[in-house]
Structure formats: structure tokens, C-alpha cells
Amino acid sequence: MTYVVTENCIACKYTDCVEVCPVDCFYEGENTLVIHPDECIDCGVCEPECPADAIRPDTEPDMEKWVEFNRKYAELWPVIITKKDPLPEAEERDGEADKLTKYFSEAPGEGD
């Protein structure tokens, strides 16, 4: 099992999760985070830290696409280990539908 970041992180990018991760497996894009599924140790400490409820275990239904999404971008983006401010529109975008097609950017974030 692994944990993955799902669509609700896009355009929010809360980073509460990165500070509690014991293996530093979060990677930063311009407007979202991902977890490297091969580095995640399945401890689950990140899941309750996410204000947007965007971190899910891969054992839930239909998570295969998110595992591959997380793997792809974790290999392209820089690691992030320090909490940063969420995006300015995070509160209003939290829970919005179809964020992957509306807002997702492939650009890397700054990382640590």
C-alpha cells in the first residue's frame, strides 16, 4: 500500500503533510503536491494532516490513475520538506470539481 495525493490538492497546495512525513517523499509542483509511491512507507501520518482531504490510500477504489500520476510527477518535480503557505485561492478551490482539467500545471514548484 501507498498513499497518494489526489485532485483536491490541485489549486490548494496545503503543505501541512510534508512536515510530518518521516521519509520526505513529497514533491512539489507549481500548484499541487505528489507523493512518490515507491518511497512512501505507508505510515499514514500525512493523511489526517491534509486540510483538503486530498491524501488517500491506494487501496480505495479508482486510485490506480492517481498512483501513476503521483509517480510521474514525483520523478520530475523537486522534493519538498518544509511547510509553506497554501495558494491564495486554496479556501475557495477546496472541494471544487474537475480541478485536474481546469487548473493542473505540469510546471515544477520551488522545492526545498
Side-chain angles (χ1 to χ4, degrees):
M1 187 177 90
T2 186
Y3 284 84
V4 292
V5 177
T6 61
E7 185 170 29
N8 208 39
C9 184
I10 299 168
C12 290
K13 199 166 92 169
Y14 291 102
T15 57
D16 306 62
C17 52
V18 302
E19 284 198 321
V20 299
C21 180
V23 294
D24 302 335
C25 64
F26 281 88
Y27 292 81
E28 182 183 16
E30 180 179 39
N31 69 354
T32 193
L33 302 175
V34 292
I35 295 171
H36 197 303
D38 299 331
E39 296 174 3
C40 177
I41 60 170
D42 314 327
C43 68
V45 296
C46 58
E47 185 180 19
E49 295 299 317
C50 180
D53 194 31
I55 300 173
R56 312 301 313 155
D58 71 343
T59 54
E60 290 187 358
D62 303 318
M63 285 294 126
E64 297 85 11
K65 73 175 185 179
W66 290 108
V67 172
E68 291 313 310
F69 178 91
N70 277 248
R71 178 177 282 114
K72 176 182 178 178
Y73 291 102
E75 292 174 1
L76 298 172
W77 294 344
V79 70
I80 178 173
I81 58 173
T82 306
K83 183 178 176 180
K84 299 178 181 180
D85 290 335
L87 296 176
E89 67 272 14
E91 223 172 272
E92 72 181 73
R93 298 274 187 252
D94 187 4
E96 187 176 324
D98 214 17
K99 291 178 14 170
L100 183 62
T101 56
K102 287 193 238 177
Y103 307 118
F104 176 67
S105 168
E106 291 189 350
E110 296 174 9
D112 281 324

